Amino acid sequence: MEKERSSFSGKLGFVLAAAGSAVGLGNLWRFPYLAAKYGGGIFLLVYIVLALTFGFSLMITEIAIGRKTGLSAVGAFQKLNKKYTFIGYLGAIVPILILPYYSVIGGWVLKYLTAFSTGNAHYAAESDYFGYFTGNAGQSLVFFAIFIGITALVVLGGVQKGIEKVSKILMPVLVVLSIVIAVYSCIFSVQNNGFDGILYYIKPDFSKFTYMTVVSAMGQLFYSMSLAMGIMITYGSYMKKDVNLESSVHHIEIFDTGIAFLAGLMVIPAVVSFSGIEGVNKGPGLMFVTLPKVFYSMGPVLGSIVGVIFFVLVLLAALTSSISLMETVVSIIQDKFHLERTPSCLIVLGASILIGLPSALGFGVLSGVTPLGMDFLTFFDFLSNSIIMPIVAILTCIFVCYIIKPTAIVEEVELSGKFKLKKLFKFMIYIAPALLAVILVFAILEGIGIVKV
Ligand code: TRP
């Protein structure tokens, strides 16, 4: 007999849970550094356009597939058409690749939290602090291990519900604090450097548009909204039939994009005012190098307090995401190898530490080893976001267009109200594979160094 699937109580419950998975380091750490690197305003514009068209269509597709079948990704594809079960498996590889390096960055958050809470804000605000501790093998490993250890303890203990409750209360606090810091950061940047920084971020400069703007914005869209890896299918499987699917998707998107936008406002104008326009190219360390300086400029005491509150909130947002990532991987291993929860959790922990080692050491002892010219963390990030996720997204769209047909999705959406953007959805689902294929080819050519921006 099939077990009755538990479900979210209503729309608010669903939106908060899905947004809780979506909001994490992707919004706070990844979005600002990519936006800064790939053209500022033009990246923001491309991202928003992609989110409203492509992101919307893919998210509605995944949630509808989940709700229709009542199963997570592998089972869902299998139920719809056995031959396409492999799409579910391919998507499942993504969290396996993301979890380890996500935890390395989670470790960086812990490190800054430690610095701010032990009265060392002045060190944390120095430019070379980030390079100093990420270059130190011992420190990188210890903080990485603590972060993934906490994640594993929560997953092992099965107490994620408790953590999720806490994070739902703290999410609104994160929003308010983000607004306050963003406003402060902008005022600070205007005082130091006029409007250059703000304009760089919000005014699209079309001369900065390259294909990498689209490649990176698309990868960021997948990452930030937890798309193209089966996650939203799983969430959809817990959704009740009478909850309005389309408006839920709008709410998740607005929430996720709103936080990312604010994170950009906190970081990018300030970077420009500290190090000029050239400063935008700092890569993965951008948020960590910039924000401590902004906090410290508030004065040692206030700066430390704001720093502690901010990094605690980022830590919680990161933990809810890493817990949900690990949970996903654990259940895949459990189902696949018919294991109990504890051994499968320990296997995932061990494997993640191994896979995470190169990413943790890539800024220090392993800095000489650069696959495709990238440090290991950027490499794993590139592999999952720019290669595997577009492939999963292409396959999902083709599956919908030619196997189950878009009407299957439309019918599922219409169970809970009118599908207002039906035309947009049908158009996007047909053209997306071609668009994604172009993006994928460029990403590969860029990766192997044939073309350069
Ligand atoms: N979207 C999350 C973020 O922005 C990261 C993420 C990707 C994630 N895939 C996930 C979180 C799966 C939970 C589950 O940080």
Side-chain angles (χ1 to χ4, degrees):
M1 216 177 72
E2 257 186 72
K3 262 193 293 176
E4 169 116 26
R5 221 169 163 83
S6 58
S7 55
F8 296 114
S9 45
K11 181 167 163 197
L12 187 67
F14 176 75
V15 170
L16 282 179
S21 149
V23 174
L25 293 171
N27 310 62
L28 299 160
W29 153 77
R30 201 171 187 277
F31 184 87
Y33 104 72
L34 290 179
K37 184 165 172 193
Y38 293 110
I42 189 70
F43 180 93
L44 184 62
L45 179 69
V46 170
Y47 183 83
I48 291 175
V49 170
L50 287 177
L52 293 177
T53 53
F54 180 74
F56 166 77
S57 306
L58 192 61
M59 188 179 288
I60 215 159
T61 301
E62 293 198 7
I63 296 180
I65 290 181
R67 193 170 76 171
K68 192 177 171 63
T69 56
L71 296 167
S72 348
V74 174
F77 280 103
Q78 191 169 28
K79 183 165 173 183
L80 293 169
N81 189 321
K82 245 197 158 66
K83 271 198 269 169
Y84 294 85
T85 316
F86 74 95
I87 306 180
Y89 282 118
L90 200 57
I93 298 176
V94 176
I96 298 178
L97 287 177
I98 293 185
L99 174 65
Y101 81 80
Y102 202 88
S103 304
V104 172
I105 303 155
W108 298 349
V109 176
L110 265 176
K111 174 73 193 177
Y112 277 91
L113 177 59
T114 314
F116 273 90
S117 55
T118 50
N120 287 317
H122 54 295
Y123 288 130
E126 277 171 23
S127 293
D128 41 14
Y129 186 75
F130 179 78
Y132 146 75
F133 84 81
T134 52
N136 178 312
Q139 298 230 5
S140 302
L141 289 180
V142 166
F143 284 95
F144 161 55
I146 299 177
F147 184 88
I148 199 158
I150 299 175
T151 306
L153 278 180
V154 176
V155 175
L156 264 175
V159 290
Q160 47 267 58
K161 286 278 168 310
I163 298 272
E164 272 163 29
K165 280 214 183 88
V166 175
S167 92
K168 267 172 215 155
I169 301 164
L170 291 173
M171 270 299 159
V173 184
L174 178 66
V175 174
V176 174
L177 192 70
S178 299
I179 295 174
V180 173
I181 297 175
V183 170
Y184 176 86
S185 208
C186 287
I187 295 174
F188 176 84
S189 131
V190 171
Q191 279 171 348
N192 280 303
N193 207 21
F195 284 91
D196 284 4
I198 296 185
L199 286 178
Y200 178 76
Y201 180 46
I202 59 173
K203 188 164 167 266
D205 173 353
F206 289 87
S207 70
K208 293 211 166 70
F209 181 87
T210 66
Y211 63 87
M212 274 313 281
T213 316
V214 185
V215 172
S216 54
M218 189 61 110
Q220 172 62 14
L221 185 73
F222 292 138
Y223 189 92
S224 186
M225 298 194 181
S226 312
L227 294 172
M229 56 182 98
I231 297 288
M232 285 297 155
I233 299 187
T234 308
Y235 275 95
S237 73
Y238 296 117
M239 187 189 209
K240 286 193 176 150
K241 296 277 185 192
D242 58 354
V243 171
N244 191 311
L245 218 157
E246 187 176 14
S247 71
S248 304
V249 169
H250 288 311
H251 289 162
I252 300 168
E253 282 202 318
I254 292 170
F255 201 71
D256 191 68
T257 309
I259 302 243
F261 174 73
L262 282 174
L265 265 189
M266 288 190 242
V267 173
I268 297 174
V271 170
V272 175
S273 83
F274 287 126
S275 10
I277 287 290
E278 308 76 53
V280 297
N281 218 349
K282 286 219 174 69
L286 193 70
M287 168 189 125
F288 294 98
V289 176
T290 311
L291 283 182
K293 287 189 193 169
V294 174
F295 299 153
Y296 195 61
S297 77
M298 298 172 176
V301 178
L302 182 63
S304 300
I305 296 172
V306 174
V308 171
I309 301 175
F310 178 78
F311 283 111
V312 166
L313 293 170
V314 177
L315 182 65
L316 281 163
L319 273 174
T320 49
S321 288
S322 66
I323 289 164
S324 142
L325 278 163
M326 187 179 265
E327 184 66 42
T328 311
V329 184
V330 167
S331 65
I332 294 167
I333 303 286
Q334 237 182 318
D335 291 350
K336 185 77 201 147
F337 302 102
H338 306 288
L339 284 173
E340 291 291 319
R341 218 183 136 70
T342 309
S344 111
C345 192
L346 293 175
I347 293 173
V348 173
L349 175 65
S352 301
I353 292 180
L354 279 182
I355 303 175
L357 280 182
S359 298
L361 299 175
F363 298 89
V365 283
L366 290 183
S367 60
V369 194
T370 51
L372 301 183
M374 305 169 192
D375 62 80
F376 271 105
L377 192 148
T378 310
F379 171 72
F380 280 111
D381 189 73
F382 174 81
L383 188 62
S384 50
N385 292 277
S386 302
I387 309 288
I388 304 179
M389 283 145 113
I391 295 178
V392 175
I394 292 175
L395 292 170
T396 308
C397 293
I398 293 180
F399 179 75
V400 170
C401 288
Y402 304 103
I403 309 297
I404 60 167
K405 306 282 188 260
T407 40
I409 304 293
V410 172
E411 278 163 17
E412 183 63 36
V413 176
E414 287 181 341
L415 286 180
S416 50
K418 194 171 177 309
F419 191 167
K420 297 195 189 105
L421 296 177
K422 184 159 65 182
K423 289 217 175 80
L424 173 75
F425 161 76
K426 283 194 168 168
F427 176 69
M428 284 313 300
I429 203 92
Y430 278 107
I431 65 155
L435 180 72
L436 283 166
V438 175
I439 291 178
L440 180 65
V441 169
F442 273 116
I444 293 174
L445 293 178
E446 162 82 18
I448 53 183
I450 294 189
V451 283
K452 270 271 161 277
V453 257

